[in-house]
Amino acid sequence: ATAVVPTYFSELSPIAIRGAVGTMHQLGITIGIVVSQWLSTPSLDLLGSEEKWQYLFLVPCAFGLLQCVVLPFCPESPSYLYQTAGKEAAKVALRRLQSNENVIEVYLELIEEENEAVDPSKGSFSTADLFNSKDLRKQLIVGIAVQLMMQFSGIDAVFYYSTTIFYQAQVDDPELATTLLGIVNVLITILAVRFMDSAGRKRLLIISWVGLFVSYLVLTASFILKPSYDFMDKVSVAATTGIIIFFAFGPGCIAWFIIAEIFPLYARDTAMSVGIFINWLANWFVAFTFPHLLEYTQPYTFLVFVGTAAFFLFFTIKYVPETKGLSVAKVTKEFASVPLPTKCCGS
């Protein structure tokens, strides 16, 4: 789901709205998170009690069944059909998505442009091919870095342990506060859908990292000063909300579809698989290590994410090209001017 869906959305959407459509994946995730939080919040008296918690497992089953019903009505990826069944099959799929023949022809031209880079004699593009490809080395480094941005932004630490954070801040209902954070996440992601293709990916990432840097500094300061000032409880809640907001319209959205934007068609599936594997590996690492950080480094725990925010802000400004409104061929030309050292990755 986390690899195929962003790629599918990217291959279905015209360049002009590719960012907005790609962000719909993250919107679905945020809605799923807030639904699970809503159902499991004890004070809402739904399924969050000791007697009813088992029924929560029926919810993903229901959505899985819904997906089985809906998916047969979804068109196949035009890019995939072009490769496997030819141009006419791709055109038929596009007509299910577009009524304007001119738009369809432009889209087909872009697919043809991507397929011109494919050498049929080479067969499938393996993971080893991806890591050995000099032409795609910069894209690979940036793609992996953006996946790490999502997890090392600290968002999972905030979400996994937000209830603990609110409890330490002496919030009256920590579980309900966490659910309200989920609602904020959904609302900001909806705004991200609106502005992703007008503001641009790089600009949103830069704003996001600046906001995360400041929010984590404020959160850390609130924990340090809490014994001296009672109002610091409210400051910590505000800082946590700021972290959610700045994450939601930056790495939270962009990481899912950036690989599909920067890699050519022949390497896209392999690159997406590698990127998502690293994303989930980083997710596990943060979830595993953060409780120990929380135990031994309070009240300075979140200074770690001040550092990661500063690093990723620098990396974004210097090495991440803007992909808004660009075809893969044009993005490849943008990477040619990215001053990213690659010799450490091999010859």
Side-chain angles (χ1 to χ4, degrees):
T2 52
V4 175
V5 173
T7 304
Y8 178 70
F9 281 176
S10 177
E11 293 180 352
L12 285 182
S13 56
I15 287 179
I17 59 169
R18 190 173 56 200
V21 175
T23 304
M24 296 300 292
H25 175 66
Q26 175 67 6
L27 179 60
I29 291 174
T30 59
I31 291 173
I33 291 172
V34 80
V35 167
S36 67
Q37 291 171 332
W38 174 63
L39 290 173
S40 60
T41 300
S43 61
L44 296 179
D45 197 27
L46 296 169
L47 299 177
S49 65
E50 291 184 4
E51 296 79 18
K52 299 178 182 178
W53 67 268
Q54 300 94 328
Y55 296 105
L56 285 169
F57 294 105
L58 293 176
V59 178
C61 294
F63 280 102
L65 288 173
L66 177 62
Q67 192 173 40
C68 290
V69 173
V70 172
L71 277 177
F73 297 97
C74 297
E76 182 56 88
S77 161
S79 297
Y80 171 79
L81 288 174
Y82 189 96
Q83 285 187 304
T84 58
K87 182 175 180 179
E88 287 304 315
K91 186 178 289 188
V92 170
L94 284 169
R95 287 199 179 106
R96 295 182 61 185
L97 300 165
Q98 295 283 344
S99 58
N100 190 317
E101 286 293 326
N102 291 331
V103 174
I104 291 174
E105 289 301 323
V106 170
Y107 200 104
L108 282 172
E109 288 176 7
L110 291 173
I111 296 175
E112 289 173 348
E113 183 180 285
E114 289 192 35
N115 274 271
E116 287 175 359
V118 180
D119 185 352
S121 64
K122 291 184 177 180
S124 61
F125 196 79
S126 67
T127 302
D129 292 331
L130 177 64
F131 279 93
N132 289 327
S133 174
K134 294 180 181 179
D135 295 335
L136 299 177
R137 195 156 290 161
K138 291 181 180 180
Q139 287 93 317
L140 180 61
I141 294 172
V142 169
I144 289 174
V146 176
Q147 298 305 308
L148 293 175
M149 285 179 188
M150 173 180 277
Q151 303 303 338
F152 291 147
S153 67
I155 192 63
D156 285 325
V158 171
F159 264 127
Y160 289 163
Y161 304 101
S162 56
T163 302
T164 302
I165 292 168
F166 285 130
Y167 177 80
Q168 292 176 347
Q170 298 178 345
V171 173
D172 291 337
D173 192 337
E175 292 86 359
L176 182 60
T178 298
T179 301
L180 294 176
L181 270 187
I183 294 173
V184 170
N185 197 15
V186 172
L187 294 176
I188 299 302
T189 306
I190 292 172
L191 288 177
V193 173
R194 167 64 180 81
F195 292 106
M196 188 61 64
D197 287 302
S198 57
R201 289 54 150 162
K202 183 168 185 171
R203 181 183 297 177
L204 288 178
L205 279 174
I206 290 172
I207 295 171
S208 177
W209 288 119
V210 171
L212 286 167
F213 178 83
V214 173
S215 296
Y216 278 122
L217 273 180
V218 173
L219 183 62
T220 302
S222 71
F223 286 151
I224 294 172
L225 299 175
K226 179 182 170 183
S228 303
Y229 303 97
D230 292 338
F231 68 89
M232 284 297 155
D233 292 339
K234 296 181 176 64
V235 172
S236 64
V237 173
T240 303
T241 304
I243 291 166
I244 300 297
I245 290 172
F246 287 110
F247 169 81
F249 66 75
C253 295
I254 295 169
W256 292 121
F257 63 83
I258 190 71
I259 288 180
E261 289 194 317
I262 65 178
F263 278 91
L265 188 60
Y266 67 90
R268 187 174 298 155
D269 291 342
T270 304
M272 184 64 79
S273 298
V274 170
I276 297 303
F277 171 77
I278 290 173
N279 188 308
W280 283 110
L281 186 64
N283 177 290
W284 169 83
F285 179 80
V286 172
F288 179 77
T289 58
F290 186 74
H292 303 290
L293 284 173
L294 197 63
E295 181 178 358
Y296 294 110
T297 63
Q298 293 187 51
Y300 305 100
T301 306
F302 288 95
L303 282 178
V304 172
F305 301 118
V306 173
T308 57
F311 171 76
F312 285 127
L313 174 61
F314 165 79
F315 188 93
T316 300
I317 293 172
K318 194 167 180 65
Y319 299 124
V320 178
E322 180 56 71
T323 60
K324 179 188 74 172
L326 299 181
S327 66
V328 173
K330 291 180 180 178
V331 170
T332 301
K333 291 180 181 178
E334 289 291 316
F335 268 102
S337 60
V338 171
L340 190 63
T342 59
K343 289 184 179 180
C344 62
C345 299
S347 57

